[in-house]
């Protein structure tokens, strides 16, 4: 009888320990995280809701993914809440028991980084980002997204998944222009593409698979966010040219649909930016008031797309100011 009781006690402890690894230490999600695999490749990804973060989508609006190499796992982006980061971590564990070596951040914006908290608390992964990512936390006066303001906003918009315990996790490793992670049988090249959508935009090319995690440089079938002083549509268009030169076989954008037709995904973002620039260029050159120019523009091609209502007008105004500023500079003797 004593042996039976001891055996039962060990079994109970083992069950509790196993449960502790799978029960979320963060507010639970009601919408499961879906993970898909790039066909025939050791690369997986999660596709978020294409809208803006809110309670209806539980903050899951950005894309993320991971690469399983013979010597460990590399994650790209961590999603927009600690609960989502935890869910991604659990999905990785379903695929591989290899150590998570790195979490690479496409850029420091809330919808891509709040999930880092789960990786920091429950793995030994090193966080990698472009060196200007430090501006997000260190200097609240920078023109890019303000860390504290955004966190307060999300604590309201995304409660309980973002709450008083949610924190911004800084990177462990930063780089300037280019970094290579050679891990096992895979080579991952990190490329700085900003300042474009943000000051710290990077992409990750996975070789020999030809899979590109493009971050928010590419947003396929979704109106991107451009209403920030750090946005440079001129550099953004150059970055898209660099993406095309990489000739990826499969692309995971920062938001929107993944695709084997990388050039079409790239073209969507490029065409949208160029369309706004063309309309606002004409307005600036003709000294047309922005409100008049915006009302006269034909938005029918984009009006029904995700995030149009929240992003398009601000995007157009930001580009109007960018072009107006460049014209004044050109007029100087």
């Amino acid at each position: 009888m004593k042996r039976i009781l001891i055996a039962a006690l060990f079994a109970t402890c083992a069950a509790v320990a196993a449960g502790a690894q799978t029960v979320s230490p963060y507010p639970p999600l009601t919408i499961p995280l879906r993970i898909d695999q790039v066909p025939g490749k050791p690369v997986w990804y999660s596709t978020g809701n294409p809208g803006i973060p809110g309670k209806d989508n539980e903050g899951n609006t950005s894309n993320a993914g991971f690469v399983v190499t013979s010597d460990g796992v590399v994650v790209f982006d961590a999603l927009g809440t600690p609960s989502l980061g935890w869910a991604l971590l659990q999905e990785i564990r379903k695929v591989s028991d290899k150590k998570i070596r790195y979490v690479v951040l496409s850029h420091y914006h809330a919808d891509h980084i709040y999930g880092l908290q789960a990786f920091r608390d429950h793995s030994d992964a090193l966080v990698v980002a472009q060196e200007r990512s430090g501006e997000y936390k260190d200097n609240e006066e920078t023109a890019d997204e303000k860390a504290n303001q955004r966190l307060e906003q999300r604590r309201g918009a995304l409660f309980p998944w973002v709450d008083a315990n949610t924190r911004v996790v800084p990177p462990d490793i930063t780089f300037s222009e280019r970094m290579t992670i050679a891990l096992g049988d895979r080579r991952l090249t990190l490329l700085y593409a900003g300042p474009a959508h943000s000051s710290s935009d990077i992409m990750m090319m996975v070789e020999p698979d030809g899979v590109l995690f493009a971050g928010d440089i590419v947003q396929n079938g979704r109106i991107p966010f451009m209403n920030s002083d750090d946005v440079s549509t001129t550099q953004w268009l150059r970055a898209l040219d660099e993406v095309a030169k990489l000739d990826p076989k499969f692309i995971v954008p920062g938001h929107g649909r993944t695709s084997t037709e990388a050039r079409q995904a790239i073209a969507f973002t490029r065409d949208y930016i160029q369309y706004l620039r063309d309309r606002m260029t004409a307005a600036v050159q003709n000294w047309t008031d922005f409100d008049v120019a915006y009302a006269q523009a034909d938005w029918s091609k984009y009006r029904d797309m995700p995030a149009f209502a929240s992003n398009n007008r601000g995007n157009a105004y930001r580009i109007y100011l960018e072009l107006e500023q460049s014209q004044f500079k050109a007029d100087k003797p």
Side-chain angles (χ1 to χ4, degrees):
M1 178 64 72
K2 187 175 181 180
R3 288 180 180 177
I4 293 174
L5 289 173
I6 292 172
L9 179 61
F10 276 123
T12 301
C13 291
V16 170
Q21 294 175 357
T22 57
V23 175
S24 176
Y26 311 101
L29 300 169
T30 64
I31 305 172
L33 191 67
R34 177 181 169 179
I35 299 293
D36 295 297
Q37 184 175 5
V38 177
K41 306 297 182 184
V43 183
W44 285 258
Y45 59 90
S46 168
T47 306
N49 183 292
I52 61 173
K55 297 196 177 190
D56 58 332
N57 53 46
E58 299 182 355
N60 185 16
T61 60
S62 62
N63 301 340
F66 58 96
V67 183
V68 178
T69 80
S70 59
D71 195 29
V73 178
V74 178
V75 183
F76 190 86
D77 277 346
L79 302 176
T81 70
S83 302
L84 286 165
W86 172 259
L88 179 59
L89 181 58
Q90 299 312 300
E91 293 299 326
I92 294 170
R93 286 293 165 242
K94 292 177 184 177
V95 172
S96 173
D97 61 359
K98 291 184 170 66
K99 184 175 181 178
I100 300 174
R101 303 282 186 176
Y102 302 97
V103 180
V104 177
L105 275 302
S106 64
H107 62 299
Y108 262 68
H109 276 176
D111 51 337
H112 298 263
I113 65 169
Y114 288 172
L116 275 178
Q117 186 169 333
F119 287 91
R120 177 51 47 91
D121 292 348
H122 302 282
S123 81
D124 296 324
L126 296 173
V127 178
V128 182
Q130 203 275 337
E131 63 185 12
R132 289 192 64 182
S133 62
E135 298 173 5
Y136 187 74
K137 182 70 174 176
D138 295 342
N139 185 358
E140 286 293 314
E141 298 306 315
T142 54
D144 208 354
E145 180 178 272
K146 307 297 189 296
N148 288 338
Q149 286 182 6
R150 178 59 72 195
L151 188 52
E152 284 303 310
Q153 183 267 331
R154 292 291 160 86
R155 281 171 174 157
L158 291 178
F159 184 83
W161 304 286
V162 177
D163 60 18
N165 296 315
T166 305
R167 68 187 193 275
V168 174
V169 176
D172 301 301
I173 300 170
T174 62
F175 68 96
S176 176
E177 297 293 329
R178 186 184 184 102
M179 176 177 170
T180 300
I181 298 175
L183 190 64
D185 53 356
R186 290 296 181 275
R187 180 183 178 91
L188 306 115
T189 303
L190 314 184
L191 302 166
Y192 180 45
H197 168 75
S198 79
S199 61
S200 59
D201 296 302
I202 68 170
M203 303 177 288
M204 182 174 82
M205 189 71 173
V206 183
E207 295 292 3
D209 306 293
V211 177
L212 180 70
F213 287 92
D216 279 6
I217 293 297
V218 178
Q219 302 189 33
N220 189 18
R222 182 222 194 225
I223 301 301
F225 172 78
M226 300 178 180
N227 192 13
S228 164
D229 289 349
D230 272 351
V231 167
S232 168
T233 57
T234 302
Q235 174 57 28
W236 200 330
L237 291 172
R238 291 195 196 103
L240 288 168
D241 288 340
E242 294 304 311
V243 176
K245 289 176 185 177
L246 292 171
D247 192 25
K249 304 300 183 289
F250 192 96
I251 192 165
V252 181
H255 296 267
R257 301 183 303 273
T258 61
S259 181
T260 55
E261 301 294 332
R263 290 191 178 276
Q264 291 181 11
I266 295 164
F268 172 82
T269 309
R270 165 176 279 285
D271 290 350
Y272 174 73
I273 294 173
Q274 195 60 60
Y275 188 84
L276 261 66
R277 284 180 62 91
D278 290 346
R279 299 303 171 278
M280 295 303 108
T281 294
V284 169
Q285 289 177 345
N286 295 325
W287 296 89
T288 304
D289 178 77
F290 169 76
D291 289 334
V292 174
Y294 188 82
Q296 291 177 344
D298 179 8
W299 303 114
S300 58
K301 182 178 179 180
Y302 299 105
R303 192 179 304 279
D304 295 330
M305 290 189 173
F308 176 88
S310 58
N311 291 351
N312 192 69
R313 185 182 179 86
N315 292 346
Y317 186 58
R318 179 56 53 195
I319 289 177
Y320 183 91
L321 294 178
E322 180 183 335
L323 293 169
E324 191 175 53
Q325 185 179 41
S326 65
Q327 177 170 291
F328 286 146
K329 287 181 180 178
D331 289 342
K332 287 183 178 180

